[in-house]
Amino acid sequence: MTNITTRSFTRRQTLAGFGAGVSLTALGGCAQMSAPATGGTIDGTAQGQLDGIAYALLRHEQERATALGVDTGRHAALRSGLEDQSQTGQDAYAQTLRGDLGVARQWLGRDDLTADERTSFEVVESAYSTALDGFALPYGDVAVGSWRNAPYVVIQNVGSYLDLPRFMDSTHPLKDASDAAAYIARLEQVPAVLEGELGRMQAARRLGVVPPDFLLAKAVEQMRATLTDAMEGGALVAPLEGSELAAAKAAAPLAREIVTRRIAPALEAQLGELYAEQKVATGDPGMWARPRGDEWYRWALRASTTTDLSPDEIHEQGREELAALHTRMEPILRGIGYTSGSVGERMQQLSADPRYKFAEGDPGRAEIMAFIKDRIGWITAQMPRAFNTLVDPNLEVRRLPLAEEPGAPGAYGGAGSKDGTIPGRMWINLRTTDLHRKYDLADLTYHETIPGHVWEGEYSNRLPLIRSILAFNAFSEGWALYGEQLADELGAYDDFEVGKLGYLQSLAFRACRMVVDTGLHHKRWSRKQAVDFFVNENGSKREEVESEVDRYCSWPGQACGYKVGHSEIVRQRVRAQDAMGAAYDFKGFNDAVVLGGNAPLDVMAKNVDRYIAGA
């Protein structure tokens, strides 16, 4: 380990230098916060009960409170806490969910709720009951009202070793001395967080649950990079050192001591566990090869799609939708001169065309960022044509942290904080510019930003707090694909037909996901079979889909939610058109879906019912 050259400071000495009025008691120290078994109603109303449920959840996931901008006032102590990743902490989380699920069901038995209140309690019921079924399984990491359910607590794209450096840099605020103190309080909890994960990793290995060897190879490389960085202080100290806030700079020496002397050894222990797992790992990629894997995968599919579709049903739906999309791509390919070979083969030829590649290295990275900015500007100007109710997202585009890029997808995005202080973001993977093409980057931008994830999140942030917290993969990703469709319908590719191929290939890519995910986890496909299916059937870039397939192995079922959700939104639109006839309104339908908030697909359908009935 690296020797510490700065002199040692006690936490109290350092905090004393941050500024007057910062109380150790108010910050809650380094102990993780205890949470009540249920969320009590704040004022006896349905809204008060929903807020009580929300804050009971946030006492277990304090990072979400910061991301939403609600760790203020009487909830300010949330800013100094981290989620308890130990098995004991996860059991306590499940206990809270169990109690509040009962509360939500009691409220749903009342006949005095408004339609919006009933929808919110239905959302709680769906999210909590699904999560509790996941907590009842003997291993894995359960996302409560979110998308990243994983059988492996730490792997190439799961774990605090990845999440916390990004969170502390991009989300934890450093506006005053109390923020700097809260930053230190959080750093002090990181060793316990990592140790909690380690205990669950070891327990899973004792059950015979070990990730496939090719995922472990990536995770080991990334963990080594994170550990090397932590041995010097690195990413977890940099936000303090780079801040203009005097209190933050004053906290940096203590932060460096915490990171190098306490966090680095905890990371080293996790690395040792990954080495132990490598010794017994196999190359089998799917959940079928893990204990109770079939059961785990069926639950993951239900969580991801909010349906009871079986693996076989999803597999066949994916194949059918892929064939239909290739039929739409065929005439465009012929029209631009690609006439021989399968659609997949011709899309590979298109991908190799230098006209559609970005430059290599930093010049290409700058070109990509400028391209994204231009497309965001264009699509933002079109939104009054698609919605009656408009939002104005605070939005930024950032490159993924370098340590995260090897195991990450091409991009991802999400809404900002509820109070608007933290922007919505599109994170773009720029480890190589060859991940992106000029004919597919526009579509990716619409998916992650406007009218996709960032746009939709702005509406959810206007709803009760619990609705801003709880999100459903099928709606989130289905809406983002629907956002891609809206961009096409608004004329995004009228003057660039090759760009429409990129959009259709994107939809086809999501249909492929349904086939590949179920192939890996249910039909016992190899990793090579999965990669080859993407490359041969859809013309996808091999380097891109290798990371994609690895992601499906570590997040089983998640990839199926995209197209299942999109197809259901489109089906609901057709249903509304048929039922309403001349009264149907494009902007009105879009408002009905997005204003209803992020919801399970059956709850979303009820919102459409109300739109139809109100015409």
Side-chain angles (χ1 to χ4, degrees):
M1 303 299 293
T2 301
N3 291 325
I4 307 299
T5 56
T6 56
R7 76 179 182 90
S8 176
F9 292 84
T10 68
R11 180 170 183 259
R12 188 171 294 276
Q13 286 169 334
T14 301
L15 287 172
F18 288 175
V22 180
S23 165
L24 287 172
T25 303
L27 287 171
C30 63
Q32 289 171 327
M33 299 176 62
S34 61
T38 59
T41 179
I42 291 175
D43 58 10
T45 65
Q47 178 63 62
Q49 183 64 75
L50 290 166
D51 284 346
I53 290 172
Y55 280 107
L57 184 155
L58 292 176
R59 290 186 189 99
H60 290 284
E61 290 197 51
Q62 298 96 316
E63 300 96 319
R64 282 209 208 185
T66 300
L68 288 163
V70 297
D71 55 349
T72 58
R74 63 193 184 96
H75 303 291
L78 294 170
R79 189 167 295 187
S80 61
L82 297 174
E83 181 179 355
D84 186 345
Q85 293 289 346
S86 70
Q87 189 58 56
T88 299
Q90 297 300 293
D91 291 344
Y93 198 167
Q95 181 183 359
T96 295
L97 298 183
R98 198 171 294 112
D100 280 342
L101 175 60
V103 170
R105 285 173 171 164
Q106 288 175 0
W107 277 85
L108 285 170
R110 297 172 57 153
D111 58 9
D112 59 345
L113 297 177
T114 67
D116 288 343
E117 289 167 348
R118 184 166 297 279
T119 294
S120 291
F121 281 112
E122 287 173 345
V123 165
V124 171
E125 180 183 37
S126 178
Y128 281 23
S129 60
T130 299
L132 283 167
D133 288 344
F135 277 115
L137 293 166
Y139 57 86
D141 205 48
V142 176
V144 181
S146 187
W147 48 269
R148 197 181 73 180
N149 295 297
Y152 316 117
V153 176
V154 173
I155 198 59
Q156 92 283 6
N157 55 5
V158 180
S160 297
Y161 82 105
L162 295 171
D163 295 339
L164 287 180
R166 181 179 65 249
F167 170 80
M168 298 302 286
D169 175 53
S170 66
T171 305
H172 184 99
L174 285 173
K175 296 180 180 178
D176 56 32
S178 65
D179 289 341
Y183 192 105
I184 292 295
R186 277 180 157 154
L187 282 189
E188 287 184 318
Q189 293 169 61
V190 173
V193 168
L194 296 171
E195 289 162 12
E197 289 178 334
L198 176 62
R200 292 162 64 203
M201 293 167 72
Q202 293 169 333
R205 178 162 56 88
R206 288 193 292 270
L207 292 172
V209 180
V210 175
D213 53 13
F214 54 89
L215 294 189
L216 284 167
K218 282 189 171 183
V220 163
E221 179 184 353
Q222 292 171 223
M223 185 69 76
R224 282 174 176 164
T226 301
L227 174 58
T228 299
D229 182 73
M231 290 170 71
E232 300 295 333
L236 287 171
V237 181
L240 297 173
E241 292 178 327
S243 174
E244 296 181 359
L245 181 70
K249 291 186 181 298
L254 176 57
R256 183 176 299 278
E257 184 170 339
I258 294 168
V259 174
T260 56
R261 292 189 175 180
R262 295 176 54 202
I263 295 176
L267 289 168
E268 197 166 22
Q270 286 200 353
L271 179 60
E273 171 59 24
L274 292 176
Y275 286 145
E277 292 174 5
Q278 280 188 310
K279 293 178 181 178
V280 294
T282 70
D284 294 329
M287 288 306 297
W288 61 268
R290 272 78 205 169
R292 295 178 65 177
D294 289 340
E295 178 186 4
W296 206 101
Y297 185 54
R298 283 184 175 272
W299 169 77
L301 281 179
R302 179 159 58 88
S304 173
T305 67
T306 68
T307 73
D308 291 321
L309 291 170
S310 71
D312 286 326
E313 288 172 325
I314 291 174
H315 190 88
E316 289 309 310
Q317 181 179 332
R319 287 189 177 276
E320 291 170 5
E321 296 203 15
L322 179 61
L325 286 160
H326 281 180
T327 298
R328 294 174 63 187
M329 295 168 73
E330 176 69 35
I332 302 175
L333 283 165
R334 288 188 173 277
I336 61 174
Y338 290 88
T339 58
S340 61
S342 68
V343 168
E345 289 168 342
R346 282 176 282 170
M347 289 303 295
Q348 288 183 58
Q349 295 168 25
L350 184 69
S351 179
D353 190 327
R355 291 177 298 173
Y356 304 117
K357 291 186 176 184
F358 292 98
E360 295 180 359
D362 288 341
R365 293 184 177 101
E367 189 180 0
I368 286 170
M369 297 298 275
F371 185 102
I372 292 170
K373 181 179 179 181
D374 175 77
R375 290 297 83 200
I376 290 174
W378 180 85
I379 194 64
T380 301
Q382 311 309 312
M383 290 300 92
R385 298 169 53 204
F387 298 89
N388 291 315
T389 306
L390 299 173
V391 291
D392 184 19
N394 181 13
L395 168 63
E396 69 177 17
V397 181
R398 295 181 63 169
R399 181 180 179 177
L400 277 170
L402 297 182
E404 189 176 344
E405 285 185 336
Y412 57 82
S417 62
K418 200 170 179 69
D419 65 356
T421 58
I422 299 172
R425 292 190 176 106
M426 176 180 178
W427 294 93
I428 184 77
N429 192 333
L430 295 177
R431 72 177 187 273
T432 169
T433 60
D434 201 47
L435 285 174
H436 308 288
R437 293 292 183 272
K438 294 176 182 178
Y439 60 78
D440 62 20
L441 186 56
D443 180 74
L444 181 62
T445 301
Y446 305 141
H447 181 103
E448 304 297 351
T449 63
I450 299 170
H453 289 310
V454 172
W455 184 259
E456 180 273 319
E458 288 293 314
Y459 293 90
S460 289
N461 277 343
R462 295 181 172 191
L463 296 173
L465 176 59
I466 192 65
R467 299 295 307 282
S468 300
I469 297 170
L470 300 179
F472 298 84
N473 184 60
F475 184 92
S476 298
E477 299 299 348
W479 175 268
L481 285 183
Y482 183 64
E484 296 178 31
Q485 179 176 328
L486 291 179
D488 175 45
E489 292 170 341
L490 292 168
Y493 311 112
D494 286 356
D495 299 321
F496 186 45
E497 197 170 28
V498 179
K500 183 153 187 172
L501 272 177
Y503 155 61
L504 292 173
Q505 188 185 34
S506 167
L507 293 182
F509 187 82
R510 273 50 178 232
C512 284
R513 281 177 166 175
M514 298 166 72
V515 178
V516 169
D517 195 277
T518 51
L520 285 165
H521 296 295
H522 178 64
K523 295 184 178 294
R524 304 193 175 199
W525 284 15
S526 68
R527 180 177 183 267
K528 184 177 185 302
Q529 277 180 280
V531 172
D532 287 347
F533 185 88
F534 271 117
V535 173
N536 297 333
E537 295 295 324
N538 204 45
S540 301
K541 298 179 284 291
R542 183 171 292 275
E543 183 175 8
E544 177 187 11
V545 295
E546 284 175 346
S547 289
E548 280 284 324
V549 168
D550 291 351
R551 165 184 162 189
Y552 310 157
C553 295
S554 55
W555 302 344
Q558 190 268 343
C560 297
Y562 294 70
K563 200 65 184 68
V564 169
H566 171 249
S567 295
E568 180 60 16
I569 293 173
V570 172
R571 190 181 75 82
Q572 292 296 331
R573 190 167 92 169
V574 171
R575 182 170 74 91
Q577 289 170 323
D578 291 344
M580 299 172 71
Y584 171 80
D585 174 62
F586 173 65
K587 294 164 67 172
F589 173 83
N590 295 337
D591 270 22
V593 175
V594 78
L595 290 173
N598 199 308
L601 296 182
D602 61 334
V603 176
M604 183 265 291
K606 294 176 185 176
N607 292 333
V608 175
D609 287 341
R610 286 193 283 271
Y611 165 65
I612 294 171

